[in-house]
Every structure is written in structure tokens, then in C-alpha cells.
Amino acid sequence: MEILFWRHSTSSQKRRDVSTIYLRLTINGQREEIGSTFIKIHNSTWLEESQRISDQDPMSNFKNEQLSLMEGRLWAIYNDLLRKGQSVTAEKVRVLYVVPDSITYMATFGLFQKEYDANPKIAESSRKTLKNIRTLVLRYLIHENRQNILIEDFDEDVMKGYQVWAQNEDYEESYIIRSSRGIKQITSYAKRKKLILEDPLVNFKISHEKLKRPEYVDSIQLTVWRKHEFMHPTAQIVADLFVLYARTGFHYQDLMQIIKDPDEYIYTGIDSNQWIIKPRQKTQVDAKLPIQNFMEIKEIVDKYQGWKNLPTFTNSTMNMWLKVCAAEVNLKLNRAQRIYPKLSVKHGRTSFCDYCLNELGIARDALLTMMGRVSAAELERYVRGDERGVVTAFGNVKAMAS
């Protein structure tokens, strides 16, 4: 191994005849730049042959001591690798020199998250998802008393342990798979940033998400829902808002933005009727919905005397009360007719898709336009065609023929 200290000057330094000392190492012909030592000198004080600073510099003793410490640390790393019988490369020595031995998985996650959050193209919902994954993996590591695990030690066994733990915590398989992808991103990031030499999860395969058949509220159930007088006033308001979700197909945050500023998103469309045209918060793809074709929207908006007067709740509050509403309505229904008991805001979107595809017979391309989606494959998460859609389609064909 050869270690070289060399001078580097910026334009302004050249004018002042000063330099910064940089460090480079070479092993078996392979060169690696360590980078700046942050030690600045006057060029006349540099002794090229000994690679040290002459006593003309009043701080020469201190600066030379720092250079010796750097040199000694590189030799210590080199000799430690030889003693352990490991392969010795310039890249490996550089990584071990630059990266602190104590860099942990969670510290690396923090670095990744900082870069992620700084990207203006990342939607707020995606930032929130990453934050939730970080909280979840930290909970697992604390449970295992391994919160200080090094990034290079977060291997396949640790990942499998996380997945088993998440299953025992009753997380859905789909969420475990999605969060595992986020967790794996961190070791990949560490390798890309040269914080580690090898990605310990590079060969770990994450299974494809098995999409369950979507749960939804059909038009018959929604009719019962709309006619039901809920016992608690908050339950009634939440039930009314769910009707809007079930007949607009918007995600929680998108509908909240429409309610708070309807003038920004409600336009007169090409048919001279009112449309909601809203760029989805996550993708900025426009969702375009013809309001007049969904009479339930007008019914709820009129009930509260305009969009701006519609009440709002947090997503978690909505989801909590929706389960209360479902339980109350289900008391009136037989087992076959009952509404999904774990109802949440997201089931408004699945209910909208089911209504449009299977009950109205709307073409998938038109449905994608209303949802603000660009790929038909994305519909699998929200809707599956069934015999109602077949009956509706043939009914439409007969109506057109007549």
C-alpha cells in the first residue's frame, strides 16, 4: 500500500499561494481518493519528499501530527484486514476509513430519508409512508433489542425476522410486502453511497403482493346507508361524507382539498355541466369527474348548503366512526347483506369503482379518467369485474340496438 498526501488549490487559493492537503491511497495499482484532509498550508512550507510541513509554519507540529494520525489509521485498517485473512483492496480500505465503524441501519435510514424529503417531486403521502416504515422497522429492532444493528449486518435473516414479527402484529400481507421493499431500499442506498462494500439484501427476493378481492359498499347497501338515521350526530356526518367518497372515488386528502377550496377544482366541462378536475396529490394526474352523473353528490352537498360548508375530520377519526356506522347499519341487515365491518375511507374508492364498472357498465378507460389513473393494471387494487358487469354490458348493447 502506498499513501500519498498532495496539494490541491482552488482559483482563489492559487492567487494567495496556498493549498489544501488531500489524501490518496494505492494498493496493487488500484487508486482510491480519500479526499480533503482540511489542512491548509502555504505552498512554501510543504516538503514534497517527506510529505510533511516545515517548521516555517507556526502550526506545523499540530498539522504534521494530524497527517501522521491519518497515515497510521490507514495502515491499521490495512494490517487488520491482513490479520483477518480478508481480501485487501483500495476500495475496501477507503470505505473502512471514511465510514465510521458504528454507522447503524437506522442512521443510514435517516440519511436516506433526508435526501428523500428534500426531493420536491416526492408527494407528501409518499413521505408519510416512508416515515411510517421507519417507525415500524425501529419498533421491530427495539423488540429484538437490535436498534443499533450495523447497516452491513441487516441481512436476510433480519428481514425474515421483521416479516414474521409484522405478521404476529397483525399487519396485512400487502403492507408487509410494501414495507419490506422500503426497508430493502436502505441497504441498496448504503451500497450506492459507498457506505458499505456489499448490499446484504441484494439477493433477498420480496414476493409479489397478492391482491385480495376489494371490499366495497354496493348500491343497495349504500341506499340503506343513506336512508338510515344514525343515533349519534357525528356518525351521521361521517356517514354523509362516506357517500361522497363512494360517489367521487377520491382519496381522503384529495377530497379534503376539494371541500376546502371547491372553486379551485370545480369547472364547467365540455358538456356545459359541472366537473371536478383535481390533480391527484400523489401523482399530479388529473382525476376528472362529471358531478351531474352522480346524484348522491348533489344530495350531500345540498344537505350542507354547499361544498365549503361540508364538515371535515381527520382520516383516523373518519375511519374510527365508519366502523361504528357499519356496525349500526348491519343491525338492520341479514348476514348476506351486511356491510364490511372494517369499513374505512379507502373503501369509498373501491365502492366507486365497483359501481361504475359493474353497475353502470362504464368502460375501463373512462373509469381511469375519473380516477386519475393511467394504467388499467392499477384497477386490480380497486375493482374486479363480475356477472353484474356482464348483465349491464348486454343491457347497454340492447338499449343501443333499440
Side-chain angles (χ1 to χ4, degrees):
M1 181 171 72
E2 296 178 2
I3 298 172
L4 175 69
F5 293 106
W6 56 283
R7 293 175 296 156
H8 173 75
S9 301
T10 63
S11 298
S12 62
Q13 285 179 322
K14 287 178 180 178
R15 290 193 292 270
R16 292 180 285 120
D17 199 26
V18 297
S19 299
T20 300
I21 301 301
Y22 276 63
L23 175 57
R24 172 191 303 158
L25 65 92
T26 305
I27 298 178
N28 295 328
Q30 181 193 29
R31 176 185 294 180
E32 286 286 332
E33 300 291 345
I34 301 295
S36 174
T37 66
F38 301 101
I39 294 174
K40 294 180 173 55
I41 61 165
H42 193 279
N43 287 330
S44 63
T45 66
W46 181 244
L47 303 175
E48 192 71 43
E49 186 174 349
S50 63
Q51 294 187 43
R52 290 297 185 267
I53 302 160
S54 73
D55 55 13
Q56 292 177 338
D57 186 329
M59 296 289 291
S60 61
N61 286 339
F62 172 76
K63 292 179 180 178
N64 285 332
E65 183 180 355
Q66 297 304 305
L67 295 178
S68 295
L69 287 172
M70 295 174 197
E71 197 171 42
R73 187 171 170 221
L74 284 170
W75 279 113
I77 293 169
Y78 177 84
N79 290 326
D80 190 49
L81 290 172
L82 288 177
R83 186 170 57 253
K84 292 178 179 177
Q86 297 182 10
S87 63
V88 182
T89 66
E91 181 188 21
K92 183 179 289 188
V93 173
R94 181 194 65 78
V95 168
L96 293 172
Y97 180 88
V98 173
V99 179
D101 293 340
S102 60
I103 189 164
T104 65
Y105 176 86
M106 293 310 302
T108 310
F109 205 128
L111 295 173
F112 176 83
Q113 190 172 19
K114 186 176 181 180
E115 285 191 19
Y116 194 82
D117 289 345
N119 187 343
K121 295 181 179 180
I122 301 296
E124 184 59 36
S125 58
S126 297
R127 292 191 180 95
K128 184 178 179 180
T129 297
L130 182 66
K131 183 178 179 180
N132 291 339
I133 292 173
R134 189 174 191 270
T135 300
L136 192 62
V137 70
L138 179 58
R139 278 183 55 206
Y140 162 67
L141 292 175
I142 291 174
H143 178 269
E144 296 293 314
N145 197 26
R146 301 190 70 181
Q147 56 267 40
N148 293 320
I149 185 173
L150 302 183
I151 181 67
E152 61 264 30
D153 293 334
F154 201 104
D155 56 19
E156 295 187 15
D157 288 339
V158 179
M159 179 67 95
K160 290 174 182 176
Y162 160 75
Q163 293 179 334
V164 171
W165 172 83
Q167 288 171 0
N168 292 334
E169 291 289 305
D170 291 329
Y171 285 96
E172 292 185 5
E173 182 186 7
S174 59
Y175 186 75
I176 295 172
I177 290 173
R178 292 199 297 273
S179 62
S180 295
R181 292 195 185 106
I183 290 169
K184 187 178 178 182
Q185 275 186 293
I186 307 307
T187 57
S188 175
Y189 166 84
K191 175 65 168 65
R192 190 168 66 252
K193 291 292 184 178
K194 297 185 177 181
L195 300 178
I196 51 178
L197 291 173
E198 301 294 337
D199 179 355
L201 293 177
V202 67
N203 294 318
F204 185 77
K205 304 299 181 185
I206 298 176
S207 60
H208 292 291
E209 182 181 349
K210 297 176 182 177
L211 296 177
K212 295 181 180 179
R213 188 171 185 84
E215 298 287 349
Y216 56 85
V217 177
D218 64 31
S219 59
I220 296 174
Q221 292 171 322
L222 194 67
T223 298
V224 175
W225 179 280
R226 286 164 48 217
K227 292 180 178 179
H228 183 82
E229 294 183 5
F230 290 87
M231 292 184 288
H232 195 285
T234 300
Q236 184 63 62
I237 294 170
V238 167
D240 290 341
L241 289 173
F242 181 77
V243 174
L244 283 183
Y245 284 107
R247 286 298 177 262
T248 63
F250 284 111
H251 286 296
Y252 168 80
Q253 194 61 47
D254 287 314
L255 187 60
M256 289 301 100
Q257 290 173 357
I258 294 167
I259 290 173
K260 291 175 182 178
D261 192 6
D263 294 338
E264 177 71 19
Y265 305 112
I266 297 179
Y267 301 85
T268 300
I270 58 174
D271 57 357
S272 300
N273 291 311
Q274 281 194 327
W275 288 62
I276 298 174
I277 302 179
K278 168 71 171 67
R280 290 184 59 221
Q281 184 185 10
K282 188 172 184 178
T283 63
Q284 296 304 304
V285 176
D286 282 347
K288 302 178 181 180
L289 184 83
I291 297 175
Q292 82 284 352
N293 290 313
F294 301 92
M295 61 88 176
E296 297 93 340
I297 299 176
K298 185 177 186 303
E299 174 187 298
I300 299 301
V301 173
D302 288 349
K303 178 177 178 177
Y304 291 89
Q305 299 181 343
W307 283 94
K308 291 184 179 180
N309 296 321
L310 286 165
T312 60
F313 299 97
T314 64
N315 195 22
S316 59
T317 299
M318 281 285 298
N319 289 336
M320 179 187 71
W321 276 100
L322 282 172
K323 291 167 181 60
V324 173
C325 294
E328 186 175 326
V329 172
N330 283 342
L331 291 173
K332 296 177 58 177
L333 301 174
N334 62 44
R335 185 179 296 274
Q337 296 173 321
R338 285 175 187 167
I339 292 168
Y340 182 55
K342 296 181 180 180
L343 198 66
S344 66
V345 168
K346 69 180 182 181
H347 295 111
R349 193 161 174 82
T350 57
S351 300
F352 172 79
C353 292
D354 179 77
Y355 177 63
C356 290
L357 185 70
N358 289 318
E359 299 193 37
L360 298 182
I362 289 176
R364 286 179 177 264
D365 284 347
L367 179 55
L368 287 170
T369 299
M370 290 190 289
M371 292 177 65
R373 291 280 186 171
V374 295
S375 169
E378 296 173 329
L379 288 179
E380 286 296 304
R381 189 178 299 278
Y382 301 106
V383 67
R384 305 286 173 83
D386 60 27
E387 67 276 9
R388 292 171 299 149
V390 175
V391 172
T392 301
F394 277 104
N396 291 340
V397 169
K398 288 180 180 179
M400 292 175 63
S402 62

